């Protein structure tokens, strides 16, 4: 049974969140897949890379992370002195679930000459076992800095890894995880939609399987898709990623038509991320009021995980190459 005080009836959630944000010196970060009401009151809305950068840079004492657990953990890894709260600690990710640290460690041990390039959608333990973290917006920049003869393990998203393999003509070994949200788009329904809107381009996230990505005019991270939506010439765009991002598109271009790509039943709403959807205004208010649920990470583990995240932040901004990895492929201490 929860010992926390319940929310008094009649609470004006927005006003209370505003008051607590100031009182706690808190910053509210939100991912594009969050409910519109959370995006609208966040101090910053972004993709995984942008949110990591914000979390590393903020002066706030509290980070309230409207996103999923691995994102809030990334904030804590980068800003250990700050209190990091997540409205709902059950907000996980199918990619993280697909990659238990013990199995990932065993996989690495089978391939000692490979470096581990790992998607940020994983646990802190898996980050600690990895050499370089990537997000969907930093993966291409980082992979292009890794010599072609360097063997690479890529996990946990096999679709993002496969997309990178095809685009860069690489043969990275892929961990077999998938995002249940992007996996759910239907090629048959997408083709029907394209027939109804023959001039509409398709924007797809690289977490989509190849049978969706192959029909896309642009493939990119949430921020890349949003940028495309703000600049494409037509009237209608088909969006093959979690549909809450359409909120930002519609705000920027209210006169244009943004259509979520459909799932197998032809209803685009089946692609809402069930983990992201756990957060809401009431839980945000409660986590700011009670400063719980709070992300805590054991210091030794945090330091190991930070190494691979720092490499990403440095390599993504081009400040280092692979220098500090030495001869790539030598397992890191
Ligand atoms: P990006 O916002 O970095 O593109 O990531 C998408 C995603 O699935 C986050 O869980
Ligand atoms: Fe994980 Fe997919 Fe949800 Fe992103 S959209 S949090 S990858 S399950």
């Amino acid at each position: 049974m929860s010992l926390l005080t319940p929310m008094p009836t009649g609470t004006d959630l927005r006003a209370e969140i505003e008051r607590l944000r100031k009182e706690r010196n808190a910053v509210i970060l939100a991912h594009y897949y969050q409910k519109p009401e959370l995006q609208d009151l966040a101090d910053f809305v972004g993709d995984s890379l942008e949110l990591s950068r914000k979390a590393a840079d903020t002066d706030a004492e509290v980070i309230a992370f409207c996103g999923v657990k691995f994102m809030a953990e990334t904030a804590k890894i980068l800003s250990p002195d700050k209190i990091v709260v997540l409205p709902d600690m059950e907000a996980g990710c199918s990619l993280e679930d697909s990659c238990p640290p013990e199995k990932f460690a065993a996989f690495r041990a089978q391939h000692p000459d490979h470096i581990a390039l790992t998607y940020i959608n994983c646990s802190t333990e898996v980050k600690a076992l990895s050499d370089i973290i990537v997000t969907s917006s930093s993966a291409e920049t980082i992979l292009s800095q890794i010599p072609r003869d360097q063997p690479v393990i890529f996990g946990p998203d096999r679709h993002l890894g496969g997309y990178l393999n095809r685009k860069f003509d690489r043969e990275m070994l892929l961990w077999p995880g998938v995002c249940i949200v992007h996996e759910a788009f239907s090629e048959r329904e997408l083709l029907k939609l394209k027939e109804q809107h023959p001039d509409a381009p398709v924007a797809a996230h690289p977490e989509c399987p190849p049978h969706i990505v192959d029909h896309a005019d642009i493939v990119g991270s949430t921020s890349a898709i949003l940028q495309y939506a703000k600049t494409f010439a037509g009237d209608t765009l088909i969006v093959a990623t979690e549909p809450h991002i359409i909120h930002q598109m519609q705000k920027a271009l209210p006169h244009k038509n943004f259509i979520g790509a459909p799932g197998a039943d032809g209803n685009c709403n089946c692609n809402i991320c069930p983990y992201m959807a756990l957060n809401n205004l009431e839980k945000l208010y409660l986590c700011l009021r009670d400063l719980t649920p709070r992300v805590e990470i054991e210091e030794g583990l945090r330091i190991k995980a930070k190494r691979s995240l720092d490499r990403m932040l440095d390599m993504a901004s081009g400040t280092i190459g692979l220098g500090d990895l030495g001869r790539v492929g030598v397992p890191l201490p």
Side-chain angles (χ1 to χ4, degrees), residues 108 115 129-132 307-308 311 324-326 329-333:
R108 281 219 71 175
I115 61 164
L129 290 164
S130 301
D131 297 313
I132 311 168
R307 201 177 45 180
S308 57
R311 279 204 188 93
D324 77 331
L325 269 177
V330 176
L332 295 166

Side-chain angles (χ1 to χ4, degrees), residues 108-314:
R108 281 219 71 175
Q110 284 164 16
H111 304 284
D113 57 335
H114 286 56
I115 61 164
L117 193 63
T118 305
Y119 196 30
I120 197 165
N121 299 38
C122 64
S123 64
T124 300
E125 288 79 1
V126 168
K127 287 183 178 73
L129 290 164
S130 301
D131 297 313
I132 311 168
I133 299 302
V134 300
T135 68
S136 46
S137 57
S138 61
E140 296 191 13
T141 309
I142 290 172
L143 183 57
S144 61
Q145 294 171 59
I146 298 177
R148 298 197 61 78
D149 61 347
Q150 171 59 53
V152 178
I153 285 172
F154 187 92
D157 187 352
R158 73 182 166 94
H159 293 318
L160 173 59
Y163 169 74
L164 293 167
N165 271 348
R166 293 192 297 281
K167 180 154 182 182
F168 287 84
D169 192 23
R170 304 280 300 223
E171 289 180 359
M172 296 188 292
L173 284 183
L174 305 181
W175 185 267
V178 294
C179 161
I180 51 167
V181 173
H182 292 85
E183 179 83 348
F185 291 117
S186 156
E187 182 180 23
R188 192 194 56 214
E189 295 299 324
L190 177 61
L191 290 175
K192 275 196 222 164
L193 195 61
K194 275 170 69 77
E195 248 175 59
Q196 289 160 26
H197 303 277
D199 297 328
V202 176
H205 196 279
E207 288 175 15
C208 291
H211 58 255
I212 298 296
V213 162
D214 285 350
H215 299 292
D217 297 273
I218 175 243
V219 181
S221 66
T222 51
S223 55
I225 290 176
L226 183 57
Q227 187 52 31
Y228 181 81
K230 288 178 179 170
T231 50
F232 82 109
D235 297 324
T236 302
L237 176 66
I238 299 174
V239 181
T241 191
E242 213 273 6
H244 281 115
I245 194 175
I246 292 176
H247 177 59
Q248 294 294 333
M249 299 174 179
Q250 215 67 78
K251 263 171 67 168
L253 296 154
H255 54 285
K256 292 208 179 188
N257 188 19
F258 299 104
I259 309 174
D265 64 356
N267 172 7
C268 62
N269 281 343
C270 58
N271 296 100
I272 287 176
C273 173
Y275 308 102
M276 293 274 183
L278 289 173
N279 296 327
N280 59 30
L281 274 185
E282 181 179 345
K283 290 179 196 171
L284 175 60
Y285 157 72
L286 290 172
C287 80
L288 280 169
R289 188 192 70 179
D290 302 326
L291 295 182
T292 185
R294 212 181 273 203
V295 176
E296 304 286 3
I297 300 171
E298 188 274 317
E299 185 59 7
L301 175 65
R302 186 191 72 79
I303 288 169
K304 283 191 193 142
K306 185 169 184 295
R307 201 177 45 180
S308 57
L309 270 170
D310 280 344
R311 279 204 188 93
M312 170 185 79
L313 293 171
D314 290 341

